Structure formats: C-alpha cells, structure tokens
C-alpha cells in the first residue's frame, strides 16, 4: 500500500476566493493612498452574517474529499490535519483516515504562493485528534492513541511503525471518537488533553458498549502524559479531569491551563452546553455500568445508571438552547493575546457549531466561586459560490494560525450531521483591518450579573434615548435532566424588566428584573410533582436599540445561564406572564422535534410534518411493509412509541423516545396540525 504522497496545487487550482487578502499587517505595508471610500454597512446577525471583524476565505484545496477534518493543530507554520469520513450506521467504519500536513497555509493567496499538501499516512481508524510534542505527532484513533516518532521531520510515515500509547479505548460504535488534542501542563510537565465520546444506538439511546472497554472511561475529559515525544508508553498515565458527557465534540485548554468541553443535547442532556471544567466533577450523563460496562469518570457509584440523579450533577457553565443558539456545538477557542480590533474580546470564547453552520461567542465570569456566562450569535450563513460570505461546511475545529488568523475545519456525514450539503472544508477566518470594518459597528461586549439584574456593556456607547424599558423582552426557564432524549425548557415564563439605567458614558446599561432564579434550590414542576433540582436558569433577553429607525447593534439577543444571582426581589403580581398552551407546544416542538422534521424533508431523515394529516405512506411494521393513512391516533402513537414502526422512506433513521405521556402527545398533535 502506498501510504505517502505529496500534492502541490497552484493558486488558481487551490483557492476559490472572491478577493485574495493578506493579513492586516501585510495590508498596511502594501496599502496605497486612495480617496475616501464609503464605510460598508453593518450587517445584522439575524441574517446569518459573517461578523464584520472577520472574512471567510475558502482553502479547500483538495476539492472536497480529503479535508473532512476531525482534528487539527499548527506546528512551526504547518497545519496538521486528522481527516476521515464519519459513519452513522456502524456498517462502514472508516479505516482509511489520513494524517495530512498543509504547508504555506498562512501565505495562501498573498502573492502567488503555492500550497503543498502532504499525505503523511493513511489507513487510520477514524482519527479525530492530533497533537504534537517535541518532534512527534500523536493521533487519536477510534480504538487507540498512537505516536509517530519524529513525524514533523518526515514526509512519509508508516502506520505499522507507530508507537501505541493507549490501547483499547472503544468497541465498534459510530458515535465513539477520541476528540483533541490540546496542550496541557501539569506539575511543569507536558500532557495532551482530549475527550472520549460515548456509544449510542441509532436514534440517540445509550449503548452498553459490550464487550466492555477495559482501558478507559468514556464520556469523560482526560489528559495523558507526561510526554516528551519519545517517552516509554509504560510511563504514560491516563488521568481524568471530569466525566458525565454525551457527545463532548469540543475541547480547549485556556491560557490559565483551564479546560473546556462543548457537549451536545441528548439523553440526560436537556440542552447543548459549554462547560468550564471543575476538575473532579460529574456533569450528568450516566453510562451503563452493568454487564461489564464502564461508567464515566466520577460517575456516582451508588446512583442507579438507568434513571440517573440530577442531584449529583454539576450544572454547565453556559446552556446553549437547542435550535436557538446551537444544535451540535464543537470546538471552543479562547481568544487570547489579541491587539487591535479583538483586544476587547480577550478571554472570551469562539465556539464552533457544525450542523447549524455558525460560530458563537461566549463570555464567562466567576460569581461567588462559580463560573457562568452568556452566549451570543457571532457568524453564520452559507458560503456563496466563491466560498466566501459564509461557511462552506459545518464548522468543527478552530485554531489560530501563525499569521494570527483563525482557521476553521469542517466535517459532516449526511442528514443531521452536516451543514450546507457539505461534509468537508477548510476556511481561513481572517481578522480584518480596522479600515474594512463599518464605522458604525457596535454590539454587546459583555453581560455581567449585578444586584437585582444585569449590567450590559456595549463595545461603544449608544444614545440613551435609543431604547425604552418596554422594548426589552425577557423570558427565563430551567431544565430537568431525564433519561429521555433532550428536554424542553421547564418553568418557562415571560418576565417584565422593572427598571433600566445607563451610566454616564452610555457604554453600560443596567437592567433590574424581579423574580430571577438561579441554581439554588428552587422548586420547579416536574411530571406533576415538585423537585428542588435544577440546572441553572437561562435568561433570554432581546433588545434592539434604534436611532432614526436603524438598529444600532449587530445582534439583538443573548442567553445568560444564571447559576449564581446577586440580590434581587421576588416577582410582583404583574411581573410574570405564563406561556399559552400553544406557546408551550411550540416550545417543545422547537426543542425536541424541529432539528429533524424540517420542510420538504430536506434530507434530514424525518418526514415533513406540515399538512401530514391524511397523508398516505408506507411504514415498516413487524418487519413488513404496510400502507397507512396518517390520522390523529397514528400521530399520537408515533410520538409516544416512535420505535414501534418507521416510514419506509426513513427506515435507516430512528426517532428517540421523548418520554411523552398521552396528554403531552395530544397537545403536540394539536400544534403539528397548525403547521402550514
């Protein structure tokens, strides 16, 4: 087998850019004096725009098949990529994953430079992580972690010569990956940090991972080391930082050696979430620990895993509500050491989201020893034919290149696991020069907890008469962790802000909201009874300051996760407005159903529900094809017992059990019948 090949692309074949742009530093050197140009208009994020501080440029130099990016890292100017084709059926696991090196990537398109792609090795088993220590390359495959000795000095690597560092990490399952790697320092020694995802069945139910995995606790964040690039594998230890994750498809280590996980909605995960790890914590996703199965790290041994117990779970740092903020969060990246345009954002997080095709921005703060924070939309939308003005595929990985720009790696596998009909891609997320940014650009920079409410800080001052108290819309809810898939918001209400005041500069707006709740014991209704357990309260705020009819802010909403509040008053009689029955049903549909049941089926693996009553379709029932006519009873039964039968068109998919009783199902059918 030929493991090694090098491919050189000329600029015309390798890039598809509307304009070729150097870094801001290079531009300032080459810039010629011209007459004043009108500033570009400030876009609005509701249109799924690319943030005005950034430009997206297509670098998918291998034409769409090679760059299915599971992991990537930079080393001495070169980008190293772990590339493979994800499998969603367990029938065709990819044993032809590749380790690539991309040279001259930072200079691509800045003066006729060529890009050189070297396939260092192939035959890898679903590689989803790559890291470098010394001169050696570490790769996380599905079932093991390996090291290519001296790999950064070579143009060809033989998989048979790789050193196995950790073996036996997984059985065959389409949902088990080793995510990473990010540098981590412990006791002055070098480690690499990564995540183990969990095994699931089609449709989202947990899998018992039989035969068992003797080597690792899946659903956990780990470090391995100490590493030198030539260490004896016998001296390498695998240590766990935290556990209780379902699909932790994102790992980051920040400037203070703090680590982060991005996890996906599912069983025991009522929302997507970003977590700043508190070492030794368990974050709520219970794995089966019977019949030889292995629990997640720090999973409470005395809690029965079938039903779990939220009282033993640590809440996430930031909730990312399903189908609103996120659907499939991936790698986070902490902005650090930036100057110029991005300097005010140091310490904040850019977070990839690969099935909604966007990047989010997250600000976190520590309140009484607890980390919590707020999420904003940042960049999104589908790329144009030139690979600009949006994402060509689903953003999965993000790293800073040697030129100071960000690089976004993309991946997908069809149906729910893709964006823009693409399963591959690599784009430069170029930081613009100040001259390219609209002069009137402004956005919310931070949101911080204050006594009785929040302080909202803007990047620039806004006129104090640009917004009134009645223009600020607030709703709030919590989540309950259950063994059913996902989870709709619990206890959601609309709540009226009571007071607002600007500081003298106009850069800070303080809003007072009576009735705010946090993760302290707060009774919430759960299945007709009361429970004191909750996972923090999301406070969703919409505000759109305007001057002369023009919106002043790039984004008009944010989601703050309130784990610790400061002071405040109880809500008065007129402060809280309950949701109507229709609003409650719509909320459940958006949280639990909308990701799959989309218009025109859309290739997402589920029927379009608009106008479904009276539709005839063929279903697979007890292994046989049966023609049925959809009526109300059929819909109720399908919601309550989704695995009893499947529409033939979607026989390879599987709807997860939602835990609905008949009353819930009847209410959902009432809403479905209103869809047009």
């Amino acid at each position: 087998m030929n493991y090694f090949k090098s491919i050189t692309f000329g600029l015309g074949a390798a890039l598809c850019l509307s304009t070729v742009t150097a870094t801001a530093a290079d531009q300032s050197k080459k810039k010629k004096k011209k007459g004043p140009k009108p500033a570009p208009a400030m876009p609005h994020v509701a249109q799924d725009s690319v943030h005005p501080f950034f430009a997206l440029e297509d670098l998918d130099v291998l034409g769409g098949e090679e760059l299915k990016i599971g992991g990537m890292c930079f080393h001495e100017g070169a980008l190293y990529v772990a590339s493979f084709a994800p499998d969603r059926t367990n029938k065709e696991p990819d044993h032809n994953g590749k380790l690539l090196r991309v040279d001259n990537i930072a200079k691509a398109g800045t003066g006729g430079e060529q890009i050189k792609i070297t396939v260092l090795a192939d035959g890898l088993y679903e590689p989803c992580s790559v890291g470098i220590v010394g001169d050696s390359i570490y790769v996380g495959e599905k079932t093991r972690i390996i090291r290519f000795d001296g790999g950064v000095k070579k143009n060809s690597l033989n998989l048979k010569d790789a050193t196995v560092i950790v073996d036996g990490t997984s059985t065959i399952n389409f949902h088990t990956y080793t995510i990473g790697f990010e540098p981590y320092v412990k006791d002055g020694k070098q480690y690499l940090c990564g995540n183990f995802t969990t095994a699931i069945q089609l449709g989202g139910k947990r899998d018992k991972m039989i035969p068992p995995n003797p080597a690792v606790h899946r659903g956990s964040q780990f470090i391995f080391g100490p590493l030198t690039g030539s260490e004896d594998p016998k001296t390498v230890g695998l240590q766990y930082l935290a556990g209780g994750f379902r699909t932790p498809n994102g790992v980051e280590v920040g400037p203070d050696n703090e680590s982060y996980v991005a996890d996906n909605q599912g069983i025991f995960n009522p929302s997507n979430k970003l977590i700043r790890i508190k070492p030794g914590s368990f974050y709520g996703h219970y794995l089966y620990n019977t019949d030889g199965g292995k629990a997640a790290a720090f999973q409470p041994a005395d809690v029965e895993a079938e039903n779990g117990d939220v009282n033993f779970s640590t809440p996430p740092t930031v909730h990312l509500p399903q189908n609103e903020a996120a659907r499939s969060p991936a790698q986070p990246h902490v902005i650090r050491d930036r100057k110029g345009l991005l300097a005010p954002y140091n310490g904040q997080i850019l977070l990839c989201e690969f099935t909604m095709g966007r990047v989010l921005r997250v600000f976190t703060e520590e309140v009484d020893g607890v980390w919590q924070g707020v999420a904003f939309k940042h960049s999104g939308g589908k790329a144009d034919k030139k690979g600009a003005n949006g994402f060509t595929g689903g953003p999965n990985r993000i790293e800073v290149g040697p030129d100071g720009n960000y690089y976004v790696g993309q991946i997908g596998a069809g149906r729910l696991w893709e964006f823009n009909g693409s399963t591959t891609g690599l784009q430069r997320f170029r930081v613009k020069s100040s001259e390219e940014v609209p002069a009137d650009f402004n956005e919310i920079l931070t949101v911080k907890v204050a006594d009785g409410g929040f302080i909202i800080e803007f990047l620039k001052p806004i006129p104090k008469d640009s917004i009134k108290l009645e223009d600020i819309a607030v709703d709030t809810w919590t989540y309950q962790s259950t063994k059913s898939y996902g989870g709709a918001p619990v206890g959601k209400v609309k709540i009226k802000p009571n007071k607002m005041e600007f500081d003298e500069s106009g850069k800070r707006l303080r809003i007072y909201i009576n009735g705010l709740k946090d993760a302290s014991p707060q009774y919430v209704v759960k299945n007709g009874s009361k429970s004191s357990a909750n996972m923090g309260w999301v406070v969703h705020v919409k505000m759109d300051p305007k001057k002369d009819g023009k919106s002043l802010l790039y984004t008009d909403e944010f989601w703050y996760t309130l784990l610790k509040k400061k002071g405040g008053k109880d809500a008065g009689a007129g402060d809280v407005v309950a949701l109507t029955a229709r609003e409650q049903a719509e909320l459940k549909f958006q949280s639990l159903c909308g990701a799959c049941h989309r218009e025109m089926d859309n290739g997402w693996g589920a029927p379009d529900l608009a106008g479904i009553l009276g539709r005839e379709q063929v279903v697979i029932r007890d292994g046989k094809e049966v023609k049925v006519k959809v009526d109300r009873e059929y819909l109720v039964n399908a919601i309550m017992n989704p695995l009893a039968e499947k529409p033939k068109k979607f026989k390879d998919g599987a709807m997860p059990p939602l835990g609905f009783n008949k009353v819930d199902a009847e209410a959902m059918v009432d809403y479905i019948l209103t869809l047009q």
Side-chain angles (χ1 to χ4, degrees):
M1 178 181 294
N2 179 18
Y3 287 92
F4 325 111
K5 55 181 177 180
S6 294
I7 309 172
T8 303
F9 293 83
L11 180 63
L15 298 179
C16 188
L17 303 177
S18 55
T19 56
V20 177
T21 313
T23 62
D26 292 333
Q27 286 175 328
S28 62
K29 294 177 182 178
K30 299 177 181 179
K31 185 175 179 181
K32 297 179 181 180
K33 291 185 178 181
K34 295 182 179 180
K37 296 170 64 177
M42 182 178 75
H44 198 275
V45 77
Q47 302 171 357
D48 275 328
S49 304
V50 177
H51 193 284
F53 284 9
F54 294 83
L56 280 165
E57 301 168 347
D58 191 9
L59 299 177
D60 194 350
V61 298
L62 292 179
E65 289 305 315
E66 296 292 336
L67 288 176
K68 297 182 177 182
I69 297 179
M72 66 184 202
C73 70
F74 278 94
H75 179 74
E76 295 183 351
L79 178 66
Y80 290 81
V81 171
S83 176
F84 78 106
D87 160 50
R88 298 194 71 238
T89 66
N90 284 343
K91 296 178 181 178
E92 298 178 358
D94 186 1
H95 287 277
N96 197 34
K98 296 177 174 61
L99 176 63
L100 310 175
R101 188 182 70 226
V102 184
D103 292 306
N104 295 332
I105 187 171
K107 297 180 180 179
T110 61
E113 292 280 352
Q114 291 183 333
I115 298 174
K116 184 177 181 182
I117 305 297
T118 302
V119 179
L120 296 174
D122 65 6
L124 296 168
Y125 188 6
E126 297 191 351
C128 212
S129 47
V130 59
I132 295 172
V133 177
D135 293 331
S136 294
I137 305 172
Y138 296 77
V139 176
E141 297 183 280
K142 180 179 287 291
T143 60
R144 61 183 187 170
I145 299 172
I146 60 175
R147 183 187 72 214
F148 288 105
D149 295 344
V152 300
K153 295 183 176 181
K154 301 174 182 178
N155 292 324
S156 61
L157 300 169
N158 194 324
L159 183 58
K160 296 179 181 179
D161 295 332
T163 301
V164 177
I165 303 298
V166 180
D167 204 1
T169 59
S170 177
T171 55
I172 297 175
N173 184 277
F174 73 94
H175 197 258
T176 55
Y177 303 108
T178 301
I179 308 295
F181 295 121
E182 293 294 320
Y184 188 95
V185 177
K186 181 180 180 182
D187 300 327
K189 297 180 180 180
Q190 184 66 62
Y191 290 72
L192 289 175
C193 183
N195 300 334
F196 290 128
T197 65
T198 63
I200 67 174
Q201 302 173 31
L202 289 176
K205 294 180 66 176
R206 290 171 293 168
D207 194 301
K208 292 189 176 182
M209 291 294 291
I210 305 298
N213 296 296
V216 304
H217 295 275
R218 301 207 65 84
S220 306
Q221 185 174 82
F222 65 92
I223 59 174
F224 66 100
L227 306 175
T228 63
S230 58
E231 68 285 334
D232 184 339
K234 294 179 181 179
T235 67
V236 175
L238 192 67
Q239 303 171 43
Y240 295 93
L241 300 181
F245 312 117
R246 178 181 181 267
T247 315
N249 185 30
V251 56
E252 166 71 327
V253 177
D256 297 323
N257 212 44
E258 79 280 13
S259 64
Y260 300 83
V261 164
D263 201 3
N264 286 218
Q265 185 201 46
I267 307 297
F268 293 120
N269 283 16
S271 75
N272 305 289
K273 49 197 178 184
L274 177 70
I275 301 167
R276 177 174 170 138
I277 294 299
K278 181 179 179 180
S281 296
F282 177 75
Y283 288 93
H285 185 78
Y286 286 83
L287 298 185
Y288 289 116
N289 52 5
T290 58
D291 301 325
K294 207 171 182 89
F298 306 107
Q299 179 172 319
D302 55 350
V303 174
E304 189 267 316
E306 174 64 28
N307 297 303
D309 189 337
V310 69
N311 288 288
F312 292 90
S313 302
T314 301
T317 308
V318 178
H319 284 290
L320 305 168
Q322 175 81 347
N323 293 325
E324 294 184 59
R327 188 185 302 133
S328 304
Q331 185 175 1
H333 174 83
V334 179
I335 301 171
R336 64 194 89 181
D337 302 325
R338 303 299 310 210
K339 299 179 180 179
L341 287 175
L342 297 187
Y345 301 87
N346 280 325
Q348 297 197 30
I349 297 164
L350 295 176
L351 176 62
C352 292
E353 207 300 336
F354 93 87
T355 60
M356 297 187 81
R358 61 174 53 155
V359 168
L360 302 170
R361 176 171 62 89
V362 177
F363 167 79
T364 60
E365 62 171 336
E366 190 176 17
V367 180
D368 295 335
V370 175
W371 284 93
Q372 57 191 34
V374 60
F376 308 92
K377 294 178 183 177
H378 182 273
S379 292
K382 297 179 180 179
D384 56 29
K385 293 181 179 179
K386 296 182 179 180
N389 301 313
F391 292 103
T392 56
N396 190 42
R397 302 290 176 249
I398 183 168
E399 296 287 353
V400 176
D403 56 354
N405 291 312
Y406 298 91
Y407 289 82
V408 178
Q410 298 153 6
I411 201 168
R415 293 188 179 177
L416 285 175
W417 282 17
E418 68 176 28
F419 171 74
N420 198 23
S422 173
T423 60
T424 183
L426 176 64
Q427 288 178 286
R428 178 187 290 127
F429 204 27
R430 179 177 63 83
V431 183
K432 291 182 177 179
S433 63
S434 58
E435 291 84 358
E436 298 175 90
V437 176
D440 62 347
F441 174 78
N442 200 3
E443 68 178 342
I444 298 172
L445 180 63
T446 66
V447 179
K448 298 180 180 180
V449 169
D451 190 8
F454 299 97
I455 294 176
I456 300 169
E457 181 181 2
F458 306 103
L459 186 64
K460 301 174 183 176
I462 66 171
K464 298 179 181 180
D465 62 354
S466 63
I467 190 168
K468 299 177 181 178
L469 185 64
E470 56 264 31
D471 297 330
I472 302 174
V474 181
D475 50 355
T476 182
W477 65 88
T478 188
Y479 290 103
Q480 287 291 335
S481 175
T482 73
K483 66 177 181 178
S484 297
Y485 186 89
V490 174
K492 183 171 182 177
V493 295
K494 301 174 185 177
I495 190 166
K496 298 178 181 179
N498 303 95
K499 180 182 176 182
M500 57 171 266
E501 57 188 21
F502 280 94
D503 70 355
E504 291 185 4
S505 71
K507 279 193 67 176
R508 294 172 183 84
L509 172 64
R510 184 166 182 171
I511 58 174
Y512 296 83
I513 307 171
N514 292 344
L516 290 177
K517 299 178 181 180
D518 61 14
S520 303
Q522 299 277 352
Y523 282 100
V524 295
V525 175
K526 178 184 178 185
N527 296 330
S529 61
K530 290 185 176 180
S531 168
S532 62
N534 73 77
M535 303 178 71
W537 285 74
V538 176
V539 182
H540 175 225
V541 177
K542 294 201 72 169
M543 54 184 293
D544 188 14
K546 292 183 178 180
K547 192 70 175 178
D548 299 326
K550 180 181 178 182
S551 296
L552 301 180
L553 301 179
Y554 174 61
T555 179
D556 63 357
E557 66 182 333
F558 60 80
W559 296 266
Y560 192 103
T561 298
L562 198 54
L563 303 178
K564 285 281 188 178
K565 65 175 185 174
K566 292 183 178 179
K569 301 178 180 179
D570 293 336
D575 293 334
V576 175
V577 179
L579 269 62
T580 65
R582 177 185 168 86
E583 287 174 330
Q584 291 174 355
E586 183 177 4
L587 180 65
K588 288 184 178 181
F589 184 88
Q590 181 179 13
S591 301
L592 301 174
C593 313
C596 302
H597 294 281
R598 302 178 66 86
E599 293 181 4
M600 303 301 291
D601 300 338
N602 204 26
W604 288 75
D608 176 15
L609 296 181
I612 193 171
L613 197 68
R615 184 184 304 168
E616 292 186 346
Q617 63 185 19
V618 176
V619 301
I620 308 298
R621 180 184 297 166
D622 297 326
K624 299 179 181 179
E625 294 185 8
V626 180
K627 191 173 184 178
V628 300
K629 188 173 183 178
V630 177
D631 58 14
R632 185 181 184 90
E633 183 180 3
Y634 174 89
L635 290 174
V636 170
N637 290 334
I639 291 171
M640 294 181 64
N641 191 8
L643 300 180
E645 60 188 39
K646 301 178 185 179
K648 180 181 177 182
K649 183 178 179 181
F650 305 100
K651 62 183 177 65
D652 292 330
M655 175 176 160
L658 301 177
F660 278 31
N661 58 33
K662 191 167 184 178
V663 173
D664 294 333
E666 292 277 7
M668 181 60 72
V669 170
D670 288 339
Y671 174 73
I672 290 171
L673 296 184
T674 69
L675 298 176
Q676 301 294 323

